[in-house]
Amino acid sequence: MNVTSVDLVTQYKNIKDEMDRAIHAVLDSGHFILGEASKEFEKNLAEYNGVKHALGCASGTDALQLAMMAHGIGAGDEIISVPMTFIATIEVMILLGAKPVFVDVDPKTYCIDPNQIEAKITEKTKAIVPVHLYGQAADMDLIMDIAKKHNLVVIEDCAQAIGATYKDRQTCTLGDIGCISFFPGKNMGAYGDGGAVLTNDDEIAEKIRMIRVHGSASKYRHLLLGINSRLDSIQAAVLNVKLKYIDQWNAKRGQHAARYTEMLRELDDVVFPYTPDYNTHTYHQYTLQVFDRTGLQNFLKEKGVATGIHYPIPLHLQPAFASLGYKEGDFPVSEQISSHVISLPMYPELPQDHQNYVAEQILAFRK
Ligand SMILES: *Cc1c(COP(=O)(O)O)cnc(C)c1O
């Protein structure tokens, strides 16, 4: 049997008629950047999250950059975040001339450990960027208390967490601004790149509206330094269809996650995903910590089961970030997680017999 990590084709086939109609309507309209489809999607996305403004852009990476630019983050500023994330979270800080300052993650949730934040705050600190890793929120109330006390901006990296809730509130709306990715493999993926920022702040929303079109409010008059980062109308139309299904798809992921845990529960040297009571998890990834990861990954590959590692090198040890001056041992929890995590196949349409097969093979490896 061949089990892939994700399957984007089955999902398309399930909603093909509706999707094709939405895409063709954009082709017929002749508006390909922003335009009606984008406006409609932005309205629906804002409504879904219960937030005043949702603004589309070209990727999740750009969403983070736009959020930082709109909050005036630049040279000399320090931003507190984690080494246990996808590189984009940190990359944009450095591109803007700001300095990432790492804090280790909580050993159970794998999200930023709020108790370690205050020790890293200096007079240069401007923002905190919590990452809702694998699809569940960091402990946002504690983070917001610290941010208020020190007058810091909180930018949520929600790339993996659309639809996740924290204490019954939608993530992405708990800080000052939230950043989403619509990369095809994310829980709500476009058919290409895409992203969005969410905020209740009118002034910040207005700035982002300008920054994403080269800093202009009207044609060829540029008020701010900007970039080119818009959501294509075709992607907006695709996402408008998908938004109707996201809760249903996230629920399916939750069911698959519960089944994996149930089927594998006899493995007593495996660390299963942990969700505190205050969170609902979107299971962008279903990720275990295992003792012999390389052995398991190779065994599963031989059996036709694809797995992923999110992420094999914590960012403080990435060659590209060597100039930050961190070394091995600086963030022991992130290092421990990075060297033991393995993500199992996970997508809403994952067939049960595929899932059974994955679990059987993992159990067979352990015997
Ligand atoms: C995917 C991802 C991003 C970047 O999103 P893109 O749309 O790929 O640019 C940023 N942060 C995290 C945590 C991600 O998983």
Side-chain angles (χ1 to χ4, degrees):
M1 189 180 282
N2 224 9
V3 188
T4 53
S5 288
V6 294
D7 171 4
L8 303 178
V9 177
T10 300
Q11 183 178 85
Y12 167 60
K13 284 185 177 153
N14 289 344
I15 52 175
K16 186 177 184 331
D17 288 346
E18 193 181 3
M19 193 56 93
D20 289 356
R21 256 184 277 121
I23 291 171
H24 280 106
V26 175
L27 297 180
D28 286 332
S29 79
H31 290 286
F32 298 116
I33 285 173
L34 298 175
E36 274 314 304
S38 297
K39 269 193 209 131
E40 201 183 318
F41 173 61
E42 288 178 342
K43 185 173 141 278
N44 292 339
L45 183 66
E47 227 166 75
Y48 174 80
N49 283 282
V51 71
K52 265 170 98 173
H53 307 280
L55 298 161
C57 62
S59 69
T61 306
D62 278 4
L64 289 159
Q65 182 172 343
L66 287 165
M68 289 176 201
M69 287 177 79
H71 283 92
I73 287 166
D77 295 331
E78 293 182 0
I79 307 182
I80 293 175
S81 192
V82 289
M84 190 63 207
T85 178
F86 181 57
I87 194 155
T89 316
I90 304 303
E91 192 175 50
V92 289
M93 299 173 188
I94 299 175
L95 283 171
L96 293 173
K99 182 182 164 196
V101 174
F102 290 126
V103 163
D104 212 347
V105 295
D106 177 275
K108 289 169 97 175
T109 64
Y110 309 158
C111 295
I112 194 167
D113 180 354
N115 299 315
Q116 295 187 41
I117 293 175
E118 274 195 295
K120 299 290 178 78
I121 294 174
T122 71
E123 64 218 19
K124 291 183 180 161
T125 308
K126 191 97 181 244
I128 306 172
V129 182
V131 179
H132 302 329
L133 197 72
Y134 304 151
Q136 73 169 337
D139 198 341
M140 288 301 292
D141 280 352
L142 298 181
I143 295 165
M144 293 312 292
D145 285 347
I146 296 167
K148 279 201 190 95
K149 189 167 144 200
H150 298 273
N151 199 22
L152 306 176
V153 174
V154 175
I155 300 170
E156 291 176 77
D157 184 336
C158 300
Q160 307 184 357
I162 185 168
T165 62
Y166 170 83
K167 299 186 181 172
D168 298 323
R169 288 174 282 154
Q170 286 278 356
T171 55
C172 258
T173 61
L174 304 165
D176 296 284
I177 190 160
C179 303
I180 308 181
S181 164
F182 304 125
F183 179 77
K186 296 284 158 74
N187 284 30
M188 193 168 86
Y191 294 158
D193 274 313
V197 292
L198 302 179
T199 182
N200 281 308
D201 186 322
D202 297 338
E203 205 177 306
I204 290 292
E206 212 39 56
K207 271 193 188 161
I208 289 174
R209 257 183 241 286
M210 290 194 261
I211 296 171
R212 70 179 174 178
V213 288
H214 306 286
S216 65
S218 57
K219 215 168 190 180
Y220 306 133
R221 190 175 146 76
H222 304 276
L223 305 175
L224 299 169
L225 178 67
I227 59 175
N228 171 4
S229 184
R230 287 85 60 119
L231 185 65
D232 290 352
S233 308
I234 289 181
Q235 302 309 339
V238 166
L239 292 165
N240 239 335
V241 172
K242 289 200 172 192
L243 190 58
K244 292 185 225 162
Y245 297 97
I246 185 64
D247 285 343
Q248 191 178 312
W249 288 336
N250 279 344
K252 284 244 169 76
R253 287 172 182 270
Q255 287 162 16
H256 299 329
R259 267 192 102 235
Y260 270 135
T261 301
E262 174 63 24
M263 289 190 289
L264 299 172
R265 69 178 192 282
E266 68 189 68
L267 302 175
D268 50 16
D269 60 347
V270 159
V271 181
F272 290 96
Y274 166 80
T275 314
D277 288 343
Y278 54 74
N279 270 347
T280 61
H281 200 310
T282 67
Y283 290 101
H284 172 59
Q285 301 296 348
Y286 180 89
T287 303
L288 301 172
Q289 282 189 68
V290 297
F291 186 69
D292 177 12
R293 177 173 70 188
T294 308
L296 177 62
Q297 190 169 38
N298 289 338
F299 179 82
L300 290 176
K301 193 173 171 199
E302 259 168 48
K303 302 290 178 187
V305 176
T307 52
I309 293 174
H310 307 95
Y311 299 91
I313 306 171
L315 299 188
H316 66 290
L317 301 178
Q318 287 287 356
F321 295 162
S323 65
L324 297 175
Y326 290 106
K327 59 182 189 315
E328 209 168 321
D330 283 347
F331 303 103
V333 179
S334 296
E335 289 168 29
Q336 150 78 22
I337 296 168
S338 288
S339 52
H340 291 93
V341 283
I342 185 164
S343 303
L344 303 186
M346 172 57 81
Y347 53 94
E349 302 77 15
L350 178 66
Q352 256 189 32
D353 59 333
H354 280 47
Q355 207 191 2
N356 294 345
Y357 178 77
V358 174
E360 277 159 24
Q361 295 311 318
I362 294 172
L363 294 171
F365 173 74
R366 305 309 299 252
K367 295 234 159 81

